[in-house]
Amino acid sequence: MDSILVLMQSPEAWVALVTLIVMEVVLGIDNLIFISILTNKLRSEHRVSARRIGIGLALIMRLALLGTIAWIIRLTTPVFEIFGHGFSWKDVILIAGGLFLVWKATKEIHHNVDPASHNEEFLGTAAVASFTAAIGQILLLDLVFSVDSIITAVGMTPHLPIMVAAVVVAVTVMLLAATPLANFIEKNPTIVMLALAFLLMIGMTLIAEGMGFHVPKGYVYAAMAFSALVEALNMLARNARRRKKADAQTLH
């Protein structure tokens, strides 16, 4: 308790907390896009609960990982070599998560391009299976993103209370933003393809990181922001054309 009070009186601790919260929120965008796309495939009455369960379990997982920081740090120690390059368990987790993201995004892109060949049933046991599968896939990606974010957090501050506070705030932001983001993606079909392209890029980035190639996150998020800006301009142009067409029909 005394250490927490000391931290609350330290300006450096507050700067570290704000910085870590921003970083955790930014890292959470990747997870949130995946959750939004995955839960939008469920029946409407299951979507909100799936998001809440998935994000809630992400919070529990991250807090549990924070309680095992000594073990988490050891995940960065190389455990085997291939062609002279050492791989740690963190690398293995990132590569596995990246491959899963690439596979999932590719599958969803194919489904969006050719929906007729993917007649999915959401009735009876199929609905339960889909809900359970969605939660399982969310948990799998939660694990990948949680390990990455916790290792990054450990590198930014040695104070556990700051890390816990940052994780709780970031996951709360994710919980609040999940449904609005999912609804926005569902109402704008072109956004779905853009989001899937983001997931492909994130998956390839995770694989590259696991292979030992450092990809600056700033480049990745700058590319995502630029693509989102272009799509926003396209949406404004489409809306302007619709209004112009509607006005012309009204005049006639």
Side-chain angles (χ1 to χ4, degrees):
M1 180 63 70
D2 291 339
S3 61
I4 295 177
L5 292 176
V6 171
L7 285 174
M8 291 178 65
Q9 297 171 2
S10 170
E12 292 81 4
W14 284 103
V15 171
L17 176 61
V18 172
T19 304
L20 200 52
I21 287 174
V22 172
M23 185 209 71
E24 290 286 342
V25 169
V26 171
L27 289 176
I29 292 173
D30 306 342
N31 206 357
L32 205 53
I33 292 174
F34 178 79
I35 291 173
S36 298
I37 292 176
L38 198 60
T39 55
N40 277 350
K41 294 176 68 64
L42 299 175
R43 293 177 62 174
S44 55
E45 62 266 27
H46 294 152
R47 294 174 184 176
V48 174
S49 58
R51 291 177 200 128
R52 289 176 178 172
I53 292 172
I55 295 174
L57 290 174
L59 174 60
I60 294 172
M61 187 179 297
R62 294 189 185 194
L63 292 178
L65 289 174
L66 281 174
T68 58
I69 285 180
W71 175 74
I72 290 292
I73 293 175
R74 286 201 298 273
L75 288 179
T76 59
T77 304
V79 291
F80 62 91
E81 286 190 8
I82 298 179
F83 299 119
H85 177 71
F87 288 87
S88 65
W89 285 117
K90 177 197 172 185
D91 297 329
V92 173
I93 291 172
L94 291 180
I95 292 172
L99 289 172
F100 173 75
L101 261 186
V102 170
W103 169 78
K104 188 65 180 178
T106 303
K107 181 181 176 183
E108 293 300 325
I109 288 173
H110 179 56
H111 171 73
N112 277 272
V113 172
D114 186 17
S117 63
H118 295 78
N119 295 321
E120 294 176 294
E121 295 292 336
F122 289 114
L123 301 174
T125 56
V128 176
S130 298
F131 183 85
T132 305
I135 295 299
Q137 292 177 54
I138 289 171
L139 272 179
L140 178 60
L141 260 295
D142 280 344
L143 174 62
V144 176
F145 289 124
S146 294
V147 169
D148 194 27
S149 67
I150 295 303
I151 290 176
T152 305
V154 170
M156 291 185 65
T157 177
H159 302 296
L160 183 60
I162 292 178
M163 287 185 270
V164 171
V167 166
V168 170
V169 172
V171 173
T172 302
V173 171
M174 286 175 59
L175 191 59
L176 294 174
T179 297
L181 177 63
N183 291 340
F184 179 74
I185 289 176
E186 185 181 23
K187 291 176 183 176
N188 298 275
T190 56
I191 291 292
V192 175
M193 195 61 71
L194 182 63
L196 290 171
F198 287 166
L199 290 181
L200 269 178
M201 182 170 62
I202 294 163
M204 293 304 298
T205 301
L206 290 175
I207 294 171
E209 292 277 355
M211 292 289 188
F213 300 99
H214 176 64
V215 181
K217 291 292 193 299
Y219 293 161
V220 176
Y221 292 119
M224 291 172 65
F226 179 76
S227 301
L229 176 61
V230 171
E231 181 58 30
L233 293 174
N234 284 331
M235 290 172 63
L236 289 174
R238 285 195 295 269
N239 290 335
R241 286 194 294 269
R242 289 195 195 100
R243 285 195 299 269
K244 187 176 180 180
K245 185 178 180 180
D247 291 342
Q249 290 175 345
T250 302
L251 291 175
H252 292 304

